[in-house]
Amino acid sequence: MKMPRAWLLALSLALSLAFSLAFFSLLFAATRAQAADVPRYRITIPSGAARQDPGGVVQFFGTATALLRVRGLSVLIDPGIDGDALPHDMARADLVLLSNPDWQGMAAVGWSARPVVAMTGTAERLRSHGVHSVYPLDTWEGITVRKGDTRLRLTSMPDPRGLRPALMAAMLDFGPGCRVLVNHGELSAAEIGLIPQRFPGARLALLRQAGTPLLLAMDKDGREPVPSHPVARGEPYRFGTPTCQ
């Protein structure tokens, strides 16, 4: 029994469409993987006489600003969002991460000469506030930072739903034992529950919910979020393995 010509044509079109979708899906996945594997920028910071404490330490100041120190390399996250002056030692951070594209130049004194990682499209605004060493990242783009034998790979990430976030989400990878997700956009309870699935390998998540900082650790397998830790202003929280490996 012969198949009608119209059926053959419909079947041929369906197979062609399925093949095209599969091809472009593989192409997108490969492009995304390549973007994630090849950093857009590489910078080296002189190590000097920096002390290299084991593992990592994070401290919160105000509702958004955090200082992350891992094996001698320090990252200042969202300084000045609260409009508060920063402690003197925070201004000496090696790198600054700005997740908010509407940052208005508050508290730039003291760190404006540091390398600043921000969302794409914000470079001109930052330069108008005297911040000249700007490294803008789009989603899936990354920057590699080296200081002595400490290496940081910072990648701009989508939100837990797979969309481009309004505030920059970033994975800070100092090694398998010290991977930190920073997401200062508001997340629902369901989206927080997706973090281990959407960001595999993260050991710690620095979040901001209802205007207050939220610290979320993962279990030893990295599959389930552990109940949030209370965050006290300025109090250090230690995480990760001694060598971050």
Side-chain angles (χ1 to χ4, degrees):
M1 179 178 179
K2 292 185 178 181
M3 186 177 293
R5 184 184 181 89
W7 288 14
L8 287 173
L9 181 60
L11 179 61
S12 176
L13 289 174
L15 289 173
S16 177
L17 179 60
F19 175 80
S20 298
L21 289 174
F23 173 77
F24 283 110
S25 295
L26 289 172
L27 180 63
F28 173 77
T31 302
R32 188 178 71 175
Q34 182 181 24
D37 289 341
V38 181
R40 181 175 177 181
Y41 309 103
R42 294 181 177 89
I43 61 176
T44 300
I45 297 171
S47 58
R51 189 176 65 182
Q52 204 176 87
D53 294 327
V57 178
V58 62
Q59 293 171 275
F60 282 95
F61 298 86
T63 63
T65 302
L67 181 63
L68 185 68
R69 294 188 181 96
V70 180
R71 304 186 68 243
L73 197 159
S74 56
V75 182
L76 182 58
I77 302 169
D78 284 339
I81 294 296
D82 305 302
D84 297 336
L86 301 176
H88 181 65
D89 63 335
M90 294 180 70
R92 296 198 301 266
D94 298 306
L95 185 74
V96 177
L97 171 62
L98 293 180
S99 72
N100 193 336
D102 296 324
W103 180 85
Q104 297 298 321
M106 297 172 289
V109 176
W111 57 262
S112 59
R114 306 296 182 190
V116 176
V117 178
M119 293 183 76
T120 185
T122 62
E124 289 304 316
R125 185 189 304 119
L126 289 168
R127 292 187 181 108
S128 71
H129 287 288
V131 181
H132 300 292
S133 184
V134 184
Y135 296 85
L137 297 179
D138 205 344
T139 305
W140 293 116
E141 290 184 330
I143 179 172
T144 296
V145 183
R146 291 184 179 274
K147 183 178 182 181
D149 61 358
T150 301
R151 178 182 181 273
L152 163 64
R153 173 59 189 268
L154 190 156
T155 304
S156 178
M157 306 293 288
D159 66 15
R161 295 166 295 175
L163 304 176
R164 188 178 190 272
L167 301 179
M168 183 178 180
M171 182 70 79
L172 282 67
D173 187 353
F174 295 89
C178 300
R179 289 193 181 113
V180 181
L181 172 68
V182 176
N183 190 324
H184 280 175
E186 291 286 333
L187 300 178
S188 67
E191 289 169 336
I192 291 176
L194 287 173
I195 287 176
Q197 174 187 344
R198 297 290 189 178
F199 307 100
R203 308 306 303 174
L204 193 72
L206 308 185
L207 310 176
R208 183 173 149 184
Q209 296 298 104
T212 60
L214 175 65
L215 193 60
L216 193 69
M218 304 298 143
D219 65 8
K220 291 183 179 180
D221 295 327
R223 297 176 181 174
E224 297 292 338
V226 175
S228 58
H229 296 265
V231 176
R233 181 184 175 94
E235 181 180 340
Y237 173 80
R238 295 192 172 276
F239 67 94
T241 59
T243 64
C244 291
Q245 299 303 314

